[in-house]
């Protein structure tokens, strides 16, 4: 009614001014005591017309003044509210949440993502919850825009607010990408492509299919689905079917093919629990595999439960300059009654810490990783561990941005260190004089430990600093050991430390949004007889 009253009072002022304008001419004439001549009468008429024009234009500046006063009043109320919020909690309750713009997305999905808004009891909590809800909805990647507006509640319910959520669903739910990636050190390349379809069922679901083909090593075809919220489930639902083929003939004289299903059971910010079911086949087309490799040829069933705990407080995964990260992965296999089911227990730890120096963005990164895998069951220490579950170290990628367990040491090629066995000799009847050694197979280890230190710093050229290109000096070390088949009896920590492989180097890093490109010079300080470490300059590409 206040606005109505203001509208009703508006015309009163113009009427009052018109009466004053009508009375001015008589007063003007009575003041002179006589009538004016013709010219003066014309001037009087012109003055009357100007007065009338002023009378007609009178309401406009009054209206502008009224709008300005209203804006000033609203600004004053906002400033008072902000000042009050600084001093105390402003009690407020959410009366209703209105959702607009979703033609395909279920209301239940949006309501689940903004659940914290309903529980807000103060203005401060409501503003914070609205910001978090906006970020969650954007993270679903099914909306082009998200707008959350806080409005006053019904007049009969003071101290309440309505929350209006306006979303704009993406116009093109189908997307895809492809690319070819090379590994200069391994002299190999891979082609990768993927297709994604978003929000098919309206639950924020993401359907994707991917293909990765590498003629020299790995090929994979997979399809999966991801539900951030489904019905009454409080955690995301993930399922993926994959066909994987890996060629390790050059390093370990075997090929591996597996058809598997992965099902995510529980997933939060720090915890992840997944079940894996797969059928593996290991073959040796070369007929030259070593004794321990030949013993694991054939079919096997993988039925395992995998739990991952991860905390990452680093400011960047490509070039961390402060913070820490910790990952623990536990896996148990053999959760099936079939005698071909692989029975093993595998545990990995990975700890990272970045210390800033306070100048030129210089920072020191430390990392240490460890892992162990053992079979379980009657007489488990007499049995060999599963070949694909063992640890293999080496590869031209950086340990700075790869986290999850012991994987590599700078300067060593893929599967380029650890226990080895001689391959089987195949005599050539046509060339009996050929006595070349068939080489050795890297058979992996049951225990693996790696550590590194990396000092990164800005380069003195401004253009390089603006694009994030920086230099680094690094050192790395690592080792593998066999524990199964009674090898643990001869294991010695002192010998394990004495046989650590070590390397140092210097290089230039080019970070991008997708990967980390490095040009490094490696110098091998220590390696064992059959290791494949090499001093020299090489490029490497690492994906976080």
């Amino acid at each position: 009614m206040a606005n109505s009253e203001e509208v009703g009072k508006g015309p009163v002022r113009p009427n009052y001014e018109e009466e004053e304008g009508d009375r001015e001419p008589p007063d003007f004439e009575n003041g002179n005591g006589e009538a004016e001549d013709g010219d003066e009468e014309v001037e009087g008429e012109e003055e009357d017309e100007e007065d009338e024009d002023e009378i007609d234009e009178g309401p406009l500046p009054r209206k502008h003044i009224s709008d300005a006063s209203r804006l000033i009043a609203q600004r004053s109320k906002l400033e008072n509210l902000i000042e009050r919020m600084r001093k105390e909690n402003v009690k407020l309750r959410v009366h209703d949440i209105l959702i607009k713009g979703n033609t395909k997305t279920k209301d239940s999905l949006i309501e689940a993502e903004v659940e914290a808004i309903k529980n807000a009891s103060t203005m401060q909590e409501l503003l914070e919850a609205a910001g978090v809800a906006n970020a969650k909805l954007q993270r679903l990647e099914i909306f082009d825009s998200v707008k959350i507006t806080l409005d006053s509640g019904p007049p009969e319910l003071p101290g309440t607010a309505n929350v209006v959520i306006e979303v704009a669903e993406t116009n093109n739910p189908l997307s895809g990408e492809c690319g070819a990636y090379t590994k200069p050190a391994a002299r190999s390349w891979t082609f990768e492509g993927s297709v994604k379809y978003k929000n098919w069922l309206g639950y924020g679901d993401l359907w994707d299919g991917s293909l990765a083909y590498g003629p020299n090593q790995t090929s994979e075809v997979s399809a999966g689905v991801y539900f951030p919220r489904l019905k009454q489930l409080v955690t995301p639902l993930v399922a993926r079917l994959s066909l994987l083929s890996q060629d390790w003939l050059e390093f370990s004289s075997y090929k591996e093919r597996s058809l598997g299903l992965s099902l995510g059971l529980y997933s939060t910010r720090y915890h992840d629990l997944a079940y894996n079911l797969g059928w593996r086949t290991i073959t040796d087309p070369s007929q030259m595999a070593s004794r321990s490799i030949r013993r694991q040829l054939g079919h096997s069933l993988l039925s395992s439960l995998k739990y991952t705990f991860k905390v990452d407080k680093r400011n960047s995964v490509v070039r961390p300059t402060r913070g820490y990260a910790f990952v623990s992965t536990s896996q148990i296999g053999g959760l099936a009654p079939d005698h071909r089911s692989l029975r093993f227990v595998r545990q990995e730890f990975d700890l990272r810490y970045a210390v800033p120096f306070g100048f030129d963005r210089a920072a020191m990164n430390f990392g240490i990783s460890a892992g162990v895998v053992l079979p379980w069951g009657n007489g488990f220490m007499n049995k060999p561990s599963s070949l694909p579950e063992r640890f293999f170290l080496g590869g031209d990628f950086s340990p700075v941005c790869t986290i999850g367990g012991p994987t590599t040491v700078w300067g060593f090629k893929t599967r380029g260190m650890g226990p080895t066995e001689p391959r089987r000799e195949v005599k050539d009847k046509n060339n009996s004089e050929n006595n070349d050694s068939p080489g050795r197979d890297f058979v992996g280890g049951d225990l693996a430990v790696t550590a590194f230190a990396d000092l990164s710093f800005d380069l003195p050229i401004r253009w390089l600093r603006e694009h994030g290109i920086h230099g680094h000096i690094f050192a790395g070390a690592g080792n593998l050991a066999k524990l199964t088949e009674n090898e643990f009896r001869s294991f010695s920590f002192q010998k394990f430390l004495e046989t650590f492989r070590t390397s140092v180097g210097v290089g230039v890093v080019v970070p991008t949004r997708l990967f980390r490109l490095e040009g490094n010079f490696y110098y091998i300080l220590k390696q064992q007889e059959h290791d494949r470490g090499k001093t020299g300059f090489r490029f490497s590409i690492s994906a976080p």
Side-chain angles (χ1 to χ4, degrees), residues 394-412:
D396 287 317
F397 53 91
S398 174
V400 174
C401 62
T402 55
I403 184 171
T407 54
T408 186
V409 176
W410 273 301
F412 289 84

Side-chain angles (χ1 to χ4, degrees), residues 30 56 124 159-160 258 308 310 313 332 448 487 511 528:
N30 293 336
D56 295 338
Q124 291 88 338
T160 63
S258 61
T308 302
K310 182 177 182 180
K313 299 295 184 179
I332 179 171
E487 288 291 334
Q528 301 303 313

Side-chain angles (χ1 to χ4, degrees), residues 422-442:
R423 293 174 177 171
R424 183 170 60 175
E425 295 186 12
V426 179
K427 296 182 179 181
D428 189 354
K429 298 180 179 180
N430 299 326
N431 188 7
S432 59
E433 297 180 357
N434 187 5
N435 295 323
D436 293 340
S437 173
R440 303 180 71 88
D441 285 335
F442 289 89

